[in-house]
Amino acid sequence: MADHHHLLLLLLFFFFASFLSHGVFDVEASHRFSSLHHVAKLSYPTHQPYRTGYHFQPAKHWINAPMLYKGVYHLFYQYNPKGAKWGNIVWAHSTSTDMINWSPRGYGVYPSQRSDINGTWSGSATFLHNGVPAILYTGIDPDRNQVQNMAVPENPLDPYLTNWVKAHENPLMEPTQQNRINASSFRDPTTAWLGPDSTWRLLVGSKHDQKGLAVLYRSKDFVNWMKVDHPLHSTEGTGMWECPDFYPVLVGSEVGLDTSVVGPNVKHVLKVSLDDTKHDHYTIGKYEPFVDVYTPDHDGLADQDLGIRYDYGKYYASKTFFDWGKNRRILLGWVNESSTEDDDVAKGWAGVHTIPRKIWLDKSGKQLVQWPIEEVEKLREKGVKKPCQELKPGSVHEVTGVTAEQADVEISFGKLDLSKAEKLDPSWTDPQALCTRRGASVRGALGPFGLLVLGSKCMQEYTAVFFRVFQCHDGKPVVLMCSDQSKSSRNDENDKASYGTFVDVNPALENLSLRTLIDHSIVESFGAHGKSVITARVYPLLAIDGAAHLYAFNNGTQSVKASRLSAWSMKKARIG
């Protein structure tokens, strides 16, 4: 990860038998690091209306990121123990049995060797042949070069993986004149996978000029790594590729796969976090393991406006892992603040994680589908269900009986008569711009309709999550999903951008669904059963401290039917 605001994600299911040879610690560096444990006590406000109730975040300061072993999930994340800005980055560590409730475990990796003395940045974890997990991570050496290092557990019998030791061979991968790697753009090693020749492969993000690169390495022993002459994939004009992720998905099934699986019914996903745009983009394609060539079905990275993203809101530096205990692949991501840095410092913390999401290949084979893990539903309480209801033009219906600032809401809209839809102007190709121009207050025909969340009593503040339905000139429907933050707060210093995406669904043939997780200052929305996702950060001044309201609305000129609406208050997760 780069030196600003990234996510370290290492969420894996660990099961060991033995472990690698230990590394050594630099005593002077370790002593220097110990000063981080003695930071001055800062005074933070006790009133925290924007602190989340069931999304992961530590008690204070700056974060951005996670791992699982012997039934215990381990979340390693980049953390600044000295304040609510980027800097002084270490790997903090929390554990969980359900990825919802978390307990702190101290620091896992921190600067202590020459190869990481100026920083321990992002990385990934891999199970070796003997079941031992090894962490590969980016370190910053005395010359400010970005190099790749390894650490292993000090005691593999410890289910909480309390202490880690670094390989004395570090760094294992570094820029040289011979390999022509950009020393300041060489970071974030992926989880490694085994090829058919029993050789390990992994990717490291990089760039050459403005060409983004997934640099490919191979190793027989996981210690001695050789750069392959060709990258696994590259794209001109995309800039630095951070936090790459490469994994298989099964065609026609929601079942997850181990990272090393290949086969006739398997496609591969390459995800990169674009440093220039701060968005996570992915492609789906074919991986040929004997020659290490990856060919996307469509290289959306070449056209970032048309490329596929995990999340069309505020979401970056994500990572997946295979949870073999439940045969699913899990996606986690980091969400930065939309408030000012001064506000972050004043409240004493910055950054949260999204709820972990199950992820799989859509039946169309053209995109991925995401859905909150089932474990989050254990927090549901005080649920309400509304009967089928017609939402007339211009109507707003309050959903009562739930705690509106900490809730889980699902609403489904019945099939629509597309003959009433507005015609889509062919120039309207940018969904975010379209959501900005045509927000919740702009009346259309079929839409906007959806939810108003974190709303104040008199509607001075609200965040609108909604659909609009258009019709192309050939008669085909186009569904626009928006998250409109323009009215989210009376504090105009916040970033109140609107987000949007087109959703691959035909509302004349199937219901249009929306699920939204609301948690004080984060709003995660899943459209069409997870085909499109938008995450937003909002900071209302009025809709706080029990004064938030929740509404279903329709501001179109045509009635729509809410065929189902269910909402639950959410209990507070146990997060130390």
Side-chain angles (χ1 to χ4, degrees), residues 137-167:
Y137 67 96
T138 298
I140 310 302
D141 71 11
D143 298 320
R144 294 286 172 180
N145 293 328
Q146 297 174 12
V147 300
Q148 314 314 318
N149 302 302
M150 180 171 67
V152 296
E154 182 179 64
N155 177 12
L157 300 179
D158 175 13
Y160 298 110
L161 302 176
T162 306
N163 297 312
W164 291 77
V165 292
K166 301 172 184 177

Side-chain angles (χ1 to χ4, degrees), residues 346-395:
K347 68 179 185 283
W349 54 269
V352 299
H353 293 167
T354 58
I355 294 299
R357 303 168 183 174
K358 179 181 173 181
I359 188 167
W360 67 94
L361 184 65
D362 182 59
K363 60 184 179 182
S364 70
K366 297 178 180 180
Q367 69 167 97
L368 300 173
V369 180
Q370 305 166 58
W371 199 247
I373 58 171
E374 60 187 1
E375 288 88 339
V376 75
E377 296 175 14
K378 295 189 298 183
L379 298 178
R380 288 174 170 177
E381 62 178 0
K382 289 175 22 182
V384 297
K385 290 186 178 182
K386 299 290 185 180
C388 180
Q389 183 175 8
E390 182 181 12
L391 301 183
K392 297 190 179 205
S395 63

Side-chain angles (χ1 to χ4, degrees), residues 67 171 187:
M67 169 181 181
R187 53 187 178 265

Side-chain angles (χ1 to χ4, degrees), residues 193 201 216 218 228 230-232 287-294:
W193 70 95
R201 280 102 161 138
L216 180 63
R218 296 187 186 128
V228 179
H230 65 275
L232 185 73
Y287 170 56
E288 300 174 64
F290 290 97
V291 291
D292 283 321
V293 171
Y294 170 72

Side-chain angles (χ1 to χ4, degrees), residues 253-529:
S253 175
E254 296 183 15
V255 173
L257 297 174
D258 177 80
T259 306
S260 296
V261 170
V262 294
N265 293 317
V266 173
K267 287 194 170 187
H268 274 74
V269 176
L270 174 63
K271 185 277 309 184
V272 295
S273 300
L274 299 184
D275 190 27
D276 288 352
T277 65
K278 300 299 179 289
H279 297 314
D280 282 12
H281 291 250
Y282 70 88
T283 60
I284 301 168
K286 180 181 179 181
Y287 170 56
E288 300 174 64
F290 290 97
V291 291
D292 283 321
V293 171
Y294 170 72
T295 306
D297 297 339
H298 168 70
D299 194 357
L301 295 174
D303 187 343
Q304 296 170 27
D305 290 335
L306 299 178
I308 310 174
R309 286 164 52 183
Y310 280 155
D311 191 305
Y312 287 84
K314 188 172 280 286
Y315 186 88
Y316 194 63
S318 57
K319 174 70 177 176
T320 68
F321 77 101
F322 173 54
D323 179 356
W324 57 263
K326 293 193 174 183
N327 286 321
R328 59 186 179 175
R329 183 159 286 272
I330 300 297
L331 169 69
L332 293 104
W334 168 67
V335 183
N336 198 13
E337 302 299 309
S338 291
S339 51
T340 65
E341 189 174 271
D342 287 345
D343 284 347
D344 297 342
V345 171
K347 68 179 185 283
W349 54 269
V352 299
H353 293 167
T354 58
I355 294 299
R357 303 168 183 174
K358 179 181 173 181
I359 188 167
W360 67 94
L361 184 65
D362 182 59
K363 60 184 179 182
S364 70
K366 297 178 180 180
Q367 69 167 97
L368 300 173
V369 180
Q370 305 166 58
W371 199 247
I373 58 171
E374 60 187 1
E375 288 88 339
V376 75
E377 296 175 14
K378 295 189 298 183
L379 298 178
R380 288 174 170 177
E381 62 178 0
K382 289 175 22 182
V384 297
K385 290 186 178 182
K386 299 290 185 180
C388 180
Q389 183 175 8
E390 182 181 12
L391 301 183
K392 297 190 179 205
S395 63
V396 177
H397 303 262
E398 182 164 9
V399 180
T400 59
V402 298
T403 304
E405 61 204 40
Q406 194 167 302
D408 182 358
V409 189
E410 296 184 9
I411 189 169
S412 182
F413 299 96
K415 298 172 186 175
L416 301 175
D417 179 2
L418 297 182
S419 67
K420 307 293 186 181
E422 300 170 76
K423 295 297 182 184
L424 183 71
D425 188 311
S427 67
W428 294 348
T429 59
D430 183 341
Q432 180 163 343
L434 189 53
C435 287
T436 301
R437 291 197 305 265
R438 300 171 70 85
S441 61
V442 179
R443 174 164 283 191
L446 292 177
F449 56 85
L451 297 172
L452 302 176
V453 307
L454 295 173
S456 59
K457 184 176 181 180
C458 297
M459 302 296 289
Q460 302 101 315
E461 295 179 331
Y462 59 83
T463 295
V465 186
F466 60 86
F467 298 109
R468 285 182 183 271
V469 180
F470 300 93
Q471 191 175 43
C472 291
H473 290 285
D474 61 4
K476 293 181 180 178
V478 175
V479 176
L480 177 69
M481 176 179 169
C482 301
S483 182
D484 179 2
Q485 284 74 244
S486 61
K487 303 292 185 182
S488 62
S489 175
R490 299 178 76 181
N491 181 355
D492 291 330
E493 292 187 353
N494 297 327
D495 174 8
K496 297 192 288 184
S498 293
Y499 307 125
T501 181
F502 294 120
V503 188
D504 184 15
V505 62
N506 187 338
L509 302 178
E510 57 184 299
N511 287 358
L512 196 52
S513 70
L514 175 65
R515 181 180 181 184
T516 298
L517 301 176
I518 307 158
D519 196 0
H520 297 269
S521 64
I522 185 170
V523 179
E524 291 187 71
S525 298
F526 300 79
H529 301 288

